[in-house]
Amino acid sequence: MDKKEQIIRKLRENGCRITKQRQILIDIILENDCYSCKEIFYKASQLDDGIGVATVYRMINALEEIGVISRESVYKIEYPEDRSRQEVCEIALDDDTVCRLSERNWKRVVQEGMKQCGYLQDQKIIRIRFLHGL
């Protein structure tokens, strides 16, 4: 399964309809280093003049929610080939209970924990990285 198919499957799992316009946007982001939504919109509008700026922003947000896009300085799809291993986090508790969290649920647990500890107010987590060797 190629990156585009994996992304489409993940979007569908999150309740997103896959329209022709959304497929165009995925192709543009996969094939180009885009520095802004405006740039993505410009490229998309050359292919389909029915694509609006709001559609681009919604698609970027949807890709961000499923964890496959990076917005540091370039909009670039970050979808590791071996994604299946990364989709579950297993947490063992001292009473021998084992909790398995999907990537989405793990992100929600971290978000709620950070709110409770006072690290977050109205912000949303866009990426979690595990740094090895620290």
Side-chain angles (χ1 to χ4, degrees):
M1 187 180 306
D2 70 357
K3 285 182 182 182
K4 183 177 177 180
E5 290 171 353
Q6 291 175 338
I7 291 164
I8 289 172
R9 180 183 53 80
K10 192 83 166 162
L11 287 166
R12 282 189 175 130
E13 287 173 3
N14 283 348
C16 189
R17 284 186 321 115
I18 305 304
T19 63
K20 180 184 170 204
Q21 291 180 340
R22 287 182 175 152
Q23 288 185 25
I24 289 170
L25 294 172
I26 291 169
D27 288 338
I28 288 169
I29 297 167
L30 281 169
E31 295 167 7
N32 302 278
D33 287 340
C34 298
Y35 293 89
S36 68
C37 283
K38 191 175 187 177
E39 184 178 349
I40 295 168
F41 168 71
Y42 175 75
K43 290 176 185 201
S45 64
Q46 291 179 329
L47 300 172
D48 182 341
D49 61 2
I51 295 177
V53 175
T55 302
V56 175
Y57 278 99
R58 282 192 300 271
M59 187 63 183
I60 294 298
N61 288 334
L63 292 170
E64 197 173 44
E65 283 178 21
I66 65 170
V68 298
I69 197 164
S70 168
R71 270 208 235 197
E72 289 179 346
S73 61
V74 175
Y75 289 104
K76 189 171 186 173
I77 298 289
E78 290 184 345
Y79 204 90
E81 297 302 321
D82 191 8
R83 189 73 176 172
S84 59
R85 289 187 190 161
Q86 296 182 8
E87 289 194 44
V88 176
C89 173
E90 185 175 280
I91 301 170
L93 305 178
D94 63 359
D95 66 354
D96 295 325
T97 303
V98 176
C99 300
R100 289 183 178 87
L101 302 173
S102 68
E103 180 179 346
R104 184 177 183 193
N105 287 339
W106 171 247
K107 194 173 178 180
R108 193 173 71 225
V109 166
V110 171
Q111 179 116 7
E112 290 303 313
M114 289 182 72
K115 279 183 187 176
Q116 292 295 319
C117 292
Y119 291 106
L120 297 177
Q121 294 173 10
D122 294 328
Q123 304 102 318
K124 288 186 178 180
I125 294 172
I126 59 169
R127 177 183 50 251
I128 297 173
R129 287 189 183 165
F130 293 94
L131 304 175
H132 302 286
L134 295 179

